[in-house]
Amino acid sequence: MKKKIISAILMSTVVLSAAAPLSGVYADTNSDIAKQDATISSAQSAKAQAQAQVDSLQSKVDSLQQKQASTKAQIAKIENEAKALNAQIATLNESIKERTKTLEAQARSAQVNSSATNYMDAVVNSKSLTDVIQKVTAIATVSSANKQMLEQQEKEQKELSQKSETVKKNYNQFVSLSQSLDSQAQELTSQQAELKVATLNYQATIATAQDKKQSLLDEKAAAEKAAQEAAKKQAAYEAQQKEAAKAQAASTAATTKAVEEATSTVSSSQASQSSSNSSTSSSSSTSSSSNSSTSSSSSTSSSSSSSNNDTTPTPTPTPTPGGGSSSSSGINSTPIGNPYAGGGCTDYVWQHFAAQGIYIRNIMPGNGGQWASNGPAQGVLHVVGAAPGVIASGFSTDFVGYAGSPYGHVAIVTAVNSDGTIDVVEGGSGFGWGHTRSHVSAAGVTFLMPN
């Protein structure tokens, strides 16, 4: 009875120790999710600011592009006007050139032929006054025409020169303005590209933060599910313990009743024996029968008294093959034969729990490493967290002791170290019975307890 109580306490400790870290994980996960929410909020705010800057710069770029279009239109207009003026200038230059030739010819004629003397001779040799007047008038008209021609030529040359300079000045001004606008547009385009990169970075930050948040939510859901499973197992175990306690109480009551009945029978037999001793020798056979009955009753009483003591069966120290009855659960309080005989690791673990009054049913197939999967699947074992007193099962090289084992290994955990490794006690070939190891890697190892 005491061993069963100790076993129940051990199981409760294991279940609680397995469930306790889940609440810590749950709290840490909530904190991490809150941090991720803050990161997402900050990134979204920064993204909004960056987008506002991008929109503002885009508006400026659009305005500059409109100004550029207007400037280019003005430049095209000026170029067309300049072409027209250049054509007029070319025509006027040709006309001026012809006038210049005429004037130069007249000048050379005057120098060579003494035109002034010829003019005087023409006037003096006039035949009449009327002829003189006509000649003088003609000479004056020619001179006036030449003068006007020279003045007009100078005026047109000056005007055309001014227009040409104006066109050139305006054209250079608009070209300079156009270049300035192009430069500004290029600079703003560069800034817009940089802000676009920043926006994409913010979007990437948000996406990463959201993915991390989803991962944390999944982790939280898994922790909650594990906590619920642990709570269900704890409730089922407590119900099982209550049923076991009721059964034990009923068994104790039945045993007590049997002892009382046996005691009463013994007292009656003793009284009958005393009466027969004082009777005649002819009743000796009756006395013998009474003695025989007394002996039988005493034997029954002894047996009943023995069953009332704490006599939980202890397994044999050496492997004992054989069958034996088994219950529907992994634990059987009724002694059964060891299905894992042979001095191997499974034999050692079976005997370890049998010493506590816990008899583990056979797992098929049940090599050491297969306990981790087949034990829970067949309802013999269930998975728990790492803790002293639980079963460790796996195929990993560090745990088994050598690489490539097709059988795996099982052992009893004696301690869980701060670095995550475990200490174990074990049996089997290569180790020896009750062999201990320290700081064994828990990677790939599953921790179990009987159902």
Side-chain angles (χ1 to χ4, degrees), residues 114-441:
S114 299
S115 297
T117 303
N118 293 335
Y119 291 153
M120 291 300 295
D121 289 342
V123 172
V124 172
N125 294 327
S126 298
K127 297 179 179 181
S128 63
L129 180 59
T130 300
D131 189 24
V132 170
I133 293 172
Q134 290 176 347
K135 289 181 178 179
V136 170
T137 301
I139 292 170
T141 299
V142 171
S143 298
S144 177
N146 288 338
K147 181 178 179 182
Q148 289 178 356
M149 184 174 62
L150 290 172
E151 290 176 351
Q152 182 66 26
Q153 185 172 2
E154 290 177 356
K155 180 180 179 181
E156 289 179 353
Q157 286 179 336
K158 183 177 181 181
E159 181 179 356
L160 291 175
S161 177
Q162 289 176 348
K163 288 183 178 181
S164 179
E165 289 297 326
T166 300
V167 170
K168 185 185 296 185
K169 180 178 180 181
N170 290 340
Y171 179 78
N172 291 336
Q173 180 180 359
F174 280 110
V175 169
S176 176
L177 178 60
S178 178
Q179 292 176 347
S180 176
L181 290 175
D182 288 340
S183 176
Q184 292 177 3
Q186 290 177 358
E187 180 180 358
L188 289 174
T189 300
S190 176
Q191 292 179 2
Q192 184 182 19
E194 291 178 359
L195 286 172
K196 185 64 175 179
V197 171
T199 301
L200 292 175
N201 286 338
Y202 286 125
Q203 291 174 342
T205 300
I206 291 173
T208 301
Q210 289 175 339
D211 290 343
K212 182 65 179 297
K213 179 180 177 181
Q214 186 58 49
S215 176
L216 291 171
L217 289 173
D218 294 341
E219 181 181 344
K220 176 182 175 182
E224 290 174 343
K225 183 177 180 181
Q228 292 173 356
E229 291 296 330
K232 289 180 181 179
K233 290 180 179 179
Q234 177 66 16
Y237 178 76
E238 289 175 353
Q240 182 182 359
Q241 293 301 306
K242 288 181 180 179
E243 291 296 328
K246 289 180 181 179
Q248 184 63 38
S251 176
T252 301
T255 302
T256 302
K257 183 177 180 180
V259 169
E260 291 175 350
E261 291 176 352
T263 302
S264 177
T265 302
V266 169
S267 298
S268 297
S269 297
Q270 289 176 348
S272 176
Q273 183 179 5
S274 297
S275 176
S276 63
N277 286 336
S278 62
S279 65
T280 61
S281 58
S282 62
S283 63
S284 59
S285 60
T286 303
S287 177
S288 297
S289 176
S290 177
N291 288 335
S292 176
S293 175
T294 302
S295 176
S296 175
S297 299
S298 298
S299 176
T300 302
S301 175
S302 175
S303 175
S304 298
S305 177
S306 176
S307 65
N308 194 35
N309 294 330
D310 183 11
T311 57
T312 303
T314 301
T316 56
T318 58
T320 305
S325 62
S326 62
S327 64
S328 60
S329 64
I331 301 175
N332 193 330
S333 59
T334 302
I336 62 174
N338 183 355
Y340 304 103
C345 58
T346 53
D347 179 19
Y348 180 85
V349 173
W350 188 92
Q351 293 201 43
H352 172 85
F353 280 91
Q356 305 174 43
I358 301 173
Y359 300 89
I360 303 174
R361 286 192 296 113
N362 191 18
I363 299 171
M364 293 296 293
N367 292 318
Q370 294 172 320
W371 281 32
S373 58
N374 294 343
Q378 297 173 18
V380 178
L381 306 172
H382 66 271
V383 179
V384 297
V390 305
I391 303 169
S393 172
F395 287 89
S396 64
T397 300
D398 189 57
F399 178 64
V400 173
Y402 60 93
S405 171
Y407 306 107
H409 186 51
V410 286
I412 303 299
V413 178
T414 58
V416 179
N417 304 306
S418 59
D419 60 357
T421 60
I422 56 175
D423 297 348
V424 299
V425 59
E426 57 201 352
S429 60
F431 291 118
W433 206 256
H435 178 263
T436 60
R437 283 190 293 162
S438 301
H439 295 283
V440 178
S441 174

